[in-house]
């Protein structure tokens, strides 16, 4: 069974702090990794994709990938109350042409003003 | 830019009734299209995906079916709904690895 595991949270951080969200995956051959943000009652929104080991930065967001440890993380710097949402980690299964993506159940983030 | 539409936004249906949810994509050609279901507090479950007109792959055997009558149109159907079909139904498109979701349909089966 291919799995993507996330701590369900809630993760609570004060405004202005760094929020750290973590994800592990089971299929060692996976090559494509994504973070989605989902506000309550809304659909997921793609915020980051990462394909190579290391860090990828986009504004206040940094995605980190370690394929040897099968670990993906998302850092949110200067957290704002508007960042309060559920963050979904997603991993493409290898050898499926990118069609099969496994999603974690998500981590709820709460940023306190 | 690309836009994805889904309707209806919400739906309440009795057990045993039929279902038809529609998804259309604008601003791209020959996208890959997907149907997902998200149950309360759960991750996204891939139901169907399509790489072209009339080409449907089913991921989970169940009482749902999908069709792609046009390049940018994807339809999810059921002949008889079950209580367990309740959930948030999401259509997504991709060209490449990244998937983009529509606004979703919240279905409650009573």
């Amino acid at each position: 069974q291919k799995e993507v595991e996330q701590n369900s949270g809630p993760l609570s951080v004060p405004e202005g702090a760094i929020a750290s969200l973590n994800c592990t995956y089971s299929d060692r051959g996976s090559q494509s990794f994504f973070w989605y943000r989902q506000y309550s009652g809304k659909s997921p929104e793609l915020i980051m994709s990462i394909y190579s080991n290391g860090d990828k930065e986009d504004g206040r967001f940094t995605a980190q990938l370690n394929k040897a440890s099968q670990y993906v993380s998302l850092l949110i710097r200067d957290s704002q109350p508007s960042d309060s949402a559920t963050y979904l980690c997603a991993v493409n299964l290898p050898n499926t042409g990118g069609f099969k993506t496994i999603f974690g159940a998500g981590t709820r983030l709460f940023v306190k003003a | 830019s690309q836009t994805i539409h889904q309707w209806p936004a919400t739906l309440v249906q009795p057990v045993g009734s039929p279902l038809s949810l529609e998804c259309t994509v604008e601003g791209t050609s020959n996208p890959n299209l997907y149907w997902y279901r998200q149950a309360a507090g759960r991750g996204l479950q891939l139901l169907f995906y399509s790489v072209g007109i009339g080409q449907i792959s089913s991921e989970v055997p169940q009482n749902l079916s999908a069709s792609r009558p046009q390049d940018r149109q994807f339809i999810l159907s059921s002949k008889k709904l079950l209580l367990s079909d309740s959930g948030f139904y999401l259509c997504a498109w991709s060209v490449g690895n990244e998937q983009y979701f529509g606004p979703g349909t919240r279905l409650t089966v009573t």
Side-chain angles (χ1 to χ4, degrees):
Chain A
Q1 180 75 10
K2 311 300 183 185
E3 292 183 341
V4 175
E5 300 284 347
Q6 295 181 255
N7 188 319
S8 63
L11 173 65
S12 183
V13 300
E15 184 176 359
I18 296 175
S20 178
L21 305 166
N22 305 314
C23 169
T24 58
Y25 60 95
S26 63
D27 196 316
R28 183 170 293 277
S30 297
Q31 299 294 324
S32 305
F33 308 87
F34 311 93
W35 283 99
Y36 288 82
R37 177 176 62 201
Q38 187 173 23
Y39 291 114
S40 180
K42 302 296 184 182
S43 62
E45 173 192 8
L46 179 66
I47 55 173
M48 290 287 286
S49 58
I50 187 166
Y51 303 97
S52 304
N53 279 329
D55 295 358
K56 179 182 178 182
E57 186 174 322
D58 184 359
R60 295 187 296 110
F61 298 99
T62 299
Q64 300 175 318
L65 174 61
N66 184 324
K67 291 183 181 178
S69 300
Q70 295 175 240
Y71 179 89
V72 192
S73 65
L74 179 69
L75 301 178
I76 306 175
R77 291 183 300 281
D78 188 24
S79 295
Q80 301 297 310
S82 59
D83 295 325
S84 298
T86 297
Y87 289 81
L88 306 178
C89 175
V91 178
N92 274 4
L93 294 182
N95 305 316
T96 64
F99 301 130
K100 296 187 181 180
T101 302
I102 303 297
F103 286 79
T107 298
R108 285 178 53 208
L109 173 65
F110 179 61
V111 181
K112 298 176 292 185
Chain B
S1 64
Q2 298 85 6
T3 308
I4 180 168
H5 303 279
Q6 283 187 249
W7 64 92
T10 60
L11 193 58
V12 180
Q13 292 284 97
V15 168
S17 64
L19 173 74
S20 181
L21 304 180
E22 190 164 342
C23 168
T24 59
V25 181
E26 296 176 358
T28 186
S29 296
N30 196 31
N32 300 321
L33 297 174
Y34 309 80
W35 279 111
Y36 288 88
R37 177 170 62 201
Q38 186 176 37
R42 304 283 297 276
L44 295 173
Q45 179 187 30
L46 178 63
L47 302 175
F48 301 94
Y49 68 89
S50 171
V51 301
I53 296 173
Q55 301 179 64
I56 309 294
S57 295
S58 174
E59 287 300 299
V60 183
Q62 54 202 334
N63 67 319
L64 299 173
S65 62
S67 62
R68 186 170 176 174
Q70 300 180 46
D71 180 44
R72 290 169 288 177
Q73 183 185 27
F74 206 21
I75 297 171
L76 182 70
S77 303
S78 174
K79 293 181 179 178
K80 287 186 177 181
L81 284 169
L82 307 173
L83 282 175
S84 58
D85 291 325
S86 293
F88 192 33
Y89 286 81
L90 293 155
C91 181
W93 70 274
S94 72
V95 177
N97 290 319
E98 298 175 347
Q99 294 184 23
Y100 300 90
F101 287 89
T105 295
R106 193 163 300 280
L107 171 66
T108 303
V109 182
T110 59

